[in-house]
């Protein structure tokens, strides 16, 4: 792996946001994820490589370390901050100059769940694929989804959940939306979600990644 990608991955893993950040103390006055992501892109490394070879593996390592109780929530939070600072540089590459939108996509992380990185990635890539994206943020309940559907009557709805506990909220929100609006198309995703779960809760499609979500949305409008 390119040296810069290795360094970027390490910065995300240990939560080194940028040069000015005093955390972690051992990396004081060194470049962080912010500067390294910018430099990698300027050197011609593709945004896909940044994501797949540096950023996502770093977050996987963070999750594994957390599972082994080698790190705790504050370190996970710093890793997420570093990841977000790198993602800010990637975003413009995923946004096309297209003005005619293929449709509207409402997305949110379900109630009780504050994980936003995967949801943001899906949102930014779907926007780049030519959809208008309405991002409701995190901790989104049925009322907020339904209000947004009212404002965007032809929208497809997307939901993300990262916790096994909040998957149950996903089930409840899907049920509430489908009760009021049975034909509304709902796409679900997030690390613990599966196609089997998607079918059980009455959602329309599950994708493990942003590209699968884009392919599914394209199939709806082609
Ligand atoms: Co939390 N966390 N976390 N966390 N966190 C996990 C999810 C966990 C697996 C860590 C672990 O134990 N190994 C674990 C869940 C265990 C479980 O439920 N089985 C966990 C836990 C336990 C918790 C807390 C409960 C910890 C605590 O407080 N004791 C707490 C819960 C807070 C809450 O939400 N109420 C918590 C908190 C946090 C932070 C706030 C510190 C931080 C989030 C910060 C933020 O988002 N701003 C955080 C983080 C960073 C993680 C890990 C390390 C990384 C998540 C991430 O961003 N991954 C995570 C471990 C892990 O996932 N390896 C972990 C990178 C991201 C690109 O992947 O989100 O999976 P992901 O998205 C993917 C796909 O899933 C898919 O596309 C994305 C790109 O490929 N996808 C979709 C996602 N949404 C989609 C929607 C779609 C389609 C595809 O269509 C609509």
């Amino acid at each position: 792996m390119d040296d810069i990608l290795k360094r970027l991955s390490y910065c995300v893993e240990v939560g080194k946001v940028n040069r000015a950040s005093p955390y972690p103390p051992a990396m004081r006055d060194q470049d962080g994820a912010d500067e390294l992501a910018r430099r990698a892109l300027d050197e011609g490394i593709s945004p896909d490589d940044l994501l797949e070879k540096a950023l996502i593996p770093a977050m996987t390592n963070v999750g594994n370390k957390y599972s082994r109780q080698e790190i705790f929530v504050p370190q996970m939070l710093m890793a997420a901050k570093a990841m977000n600072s790198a993602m800010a540089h990637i975003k413009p590459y995923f946004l096309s100059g297209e003005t005619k939108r293929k449709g509207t996509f409402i997305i949110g992380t379900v109630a009780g769940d504050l994980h936003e990185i995967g949801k943001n990635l899906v949102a930014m890539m779907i926007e780049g694929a030519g959809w208008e994206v309405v991002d409701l943020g995190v901790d989104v309940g049925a009322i907020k989804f339904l209000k947004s559907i009212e404002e965007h009557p032809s929208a497809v709805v997307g939901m993300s959940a990262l916790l096994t506990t909040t998957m149950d909220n996903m089930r409840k929100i899907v049920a509430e939306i489908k009760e009021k609006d049975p034909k509304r198309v709902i796409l679900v995703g997030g690390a613990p979600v599966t196609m089997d779960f998607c079918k059980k809760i009455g959602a329309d499609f599950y994708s493990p990644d942003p590209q699968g979500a884009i392919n599914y949305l394209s199939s709806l409008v082609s």
Side-chain angles (χ1 to χ4, degrees), residues 59 63 66-67 76 112 114-118 160 162-164 190-191 207-208:
M59 291 315 276
Y66 179 80
S67 296
M76 221 157 51
L114 303 176
H115 295 86
E116 63 176 354
I117 295 172
S160 182
L162 262 284
L163 299 170
T164 41
S207 170

Side-chain angles (χ1 to χ4, degrees), residues 51 55-56 59-68 71-81 83-84 87 105-108 112-122 126 138 157-166 187-192 205-210 213:
L51 267 176
L55 303 180
I56 292 183
M59 291 315 276
T60 306
N61 289 347
V62 170
N64 292 338
K65 280 185 182 170
Y66 179 80
S67 296
R68 296 194 298 264
I71 60 166
F72 300 94
V73 173
Q75 286 102 321
M76 221 157 51
L77 209 44
M78 289 311 291
K81 266 187 143 181
M83 171 93 176
N84 282 333
M87 275 179 34
F105 183 65
I106 297 168
I107 188 165
D113 200 323
L114 303 176
H115 295 86
E116 63 176 354
I117 295 172
K119 183 265 298 165
N120 289 350
L121 207 48
V122 172
I126 287 178
V138 296
V157 174
M159 287 175 207
S160 182
L162 262 284
L163 299 170
T164 41
T165 45
T166 55
L187 165 67
V188 293
F205 194 73
Y206 155 76
S207 170
D209 50 38

